């Protein structure tokens, strides 16, 4: 299928490894010009060199730096057509495991970074009458979990922001969607579950964990012209593990 992405200019946040990198690699393979960020220069530059991306060091948990990443990407690429919003994930634990400051940090990392990047990137897309925002969130936004209270709380806010914004910008040719990963094989999964990661397959109808490359391909489809009528949705990518209809 022709995705019509050649020459599109794409900024992908938090993309030296994992799902962000897979999204960047897949967009680059479709002929997009790509800029990526992460906090640490050496692995970022190594990742960027593998896919011909522009590396921009930024910690998106700082709203100012998150917005600057998008502005720098736009400058480096000569404009911006695609924004993939992403960040790391906060620590896991129950509601009393954290002081309020940890909640603030999680909101900075996964909610305010989303708002800051969109506020910087989306108005230009509206002006040029074409744009795509794809946010990488989490199934915890759909199904909050007791031991994942920080991510559940922050992702719910981000999802609400994205949904509200999607209704405002769609008439300008800008779609806004999010992908909600279930369990995918990445450094994050290894960090959270260690040697037990493989046993998570037991709770997934497909009997498999997600592959980052497949996730990247889904991002490219949402960015394509074919996806112009998909807007304002949060799509589970979890092998069918979520048990509900909505
Ligand atoms: P990962 O740890 O493999 O990769 C995260 C990437 O983000 C790395 O490139 C890292 O350098 C970068 N990063 C982290 N914090 C950053 C920051 N503050 N500023 C800039 N860059 C930063 O993680 P992943 O598995 O690819 O996860 C991506 C997102 O999806 C995370 O928010 C994660 O919580 C979420 N998620 C992942 C899974 C999964 O199974 N992998 C499941 C649910 C949600």
């Amino acid at each position: 299928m022709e995705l019509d992405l050649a020459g599109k200019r794409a900024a992908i946040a938090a993309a030296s490894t994992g799902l962000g990198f897979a999204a960047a690699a897949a967009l680059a393979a479709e002929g997009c010009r790509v800029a990526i960020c992460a906090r640490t220069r050496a692995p970022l530059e190594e990742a960027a060199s593998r896919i011909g991306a522009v590396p921009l060091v930024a910690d998106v948990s700082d709203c100012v730096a998150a917005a600057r990443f998008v502005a720098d990407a736009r400058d480096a690429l000569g404009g911006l057509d695609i924004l993939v919003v992403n960040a790391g994930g906060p620590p896991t634990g129950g509601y009393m495991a954290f002081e309020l400051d940890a909640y603030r940090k999680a909101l900075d990392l996964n909610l305010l970074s989303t708002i800051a990047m969109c506020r910087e990137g989306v108005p230009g897309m509206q002006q040029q009458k074409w744009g795509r925002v794809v946010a990488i969130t989490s199934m915890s936004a759909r199904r909050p979990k007791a031991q994942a209270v920080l991510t559940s709380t922050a992702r719910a806010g981000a999802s609400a922001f994205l949904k509200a914004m999607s209704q405002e910008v769609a008439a300008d040719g800008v779609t806004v969607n999010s992908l909600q990963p279930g369990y995918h094989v990445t450094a994050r999964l290894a960090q959270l579950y260690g040697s037990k990661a493989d046993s998570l397959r037991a709770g997934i109808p497909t009997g498999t964990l997600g592959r980052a490359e497949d996730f990247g391909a889904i991002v490219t489809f949402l960015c394509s012209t074919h996806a112009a009528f998909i807007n304002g949705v949060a799509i589970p990518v979890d092998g069918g593990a979520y048990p509900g209809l909505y």
Side-chain angles (χ1 to χ4, degrees):
M1 191 188 337
E2 177 54 60
L3 296 183
D4 235 356
L5 287 170
K8 295 278 191 236
R9 301 152 300 185
I12 300 96
S16 61
T17 61
L19 304 180
F21 177 76
L27 288 165
E30 289 297 328
C32 290
R33 292 166 51 219
V34 164
I36 63 175
C37 82
R39 291 164 297 181
T40 314
R41 182 172 299 280
L44 172 68
E45 289 185 344
E46 193 276 323
S49 72
R50 279 195 273 153
I51 58 171
V54 177
L56 297 165
V57 174
D59 179 346
V60 298
S61 69
D62 171 352
C63 275
V64 175
R68 195 183 313 122
F69 160 61
V70 176
D72 288 348
R74 187 175 53 227
D75 287 349
L77 302 172
L80 193 65
D81 305 298
I82 293 166
L83 172 62
V84 179
V85 172
N86 188 30
T92 51
Y95 84 102
M96 285 301 286
F98 304 103
E99 297 299 329
L100 278 182
D101 194 48
Y103 283 83
R104 282 195 196 95
K105 285 189 172 127
L107 295 177
D108 280 341
L109 180 65
N110 293 124
L111 170 58
L112 289 173
S113 67
T114 301
I115 298 170
M117 285 188 264
C118 289
R119 281 175 51 83
E120 183 62 43
V122 172
M125 295 179 186
Q126 289 182 267
Q127 275 167 18
Q128 69 191 13
K129 302 293 179 199
W130 200 94
R132 295 282 184 270
V133 177
V134 180
I136 301 173
T137 63
S138 169
M139 278 305 290
S140 66
R142 179 175 299 268
R143 187 188 196 185
K145 281 199 216 153
Q147 289 305 314
V149 70
L150 294 181
T151 182
S152 302
T153 304
R155 310 287 190 179
S159 302
F161 168 78
L162 293 162
K163 179 71 183 175
M165 186 178 67
S166 73
Q167 296 174 350
E168 195 175 331
V169 304
D172 291 322
V174 181
T175 66
V176 181
N177 297 294
S178 61
L179 291 174
Q180 300 178 323
Y183 296 126
H184 284 71
V185 181
T186 66
R188 167 86 175 156
L189 201 72
Q191 178 203 345
L192 290 179
Y193 296 98
S195 60
K196 297 199 181 114
D198 196 55
S199 65
L200 296 168
R201 290 191 292 122
I204 302 176
T206 56
T208 57
L209 300 175
R211 293 171 4 121
E213 310 88 271
D214 297 333
F215 192 92
I218 299 168
V219 172
T220 62
F221 178 73
L222 284 178
C223 293
S224 72
T225 47
H226 303 296
F229 207 46
I230 301 176
N231 184 44
V233 292
I235 302 172
V237 187
D238 71 341
Y242 178 69
L245 286 176
Y246 307 108

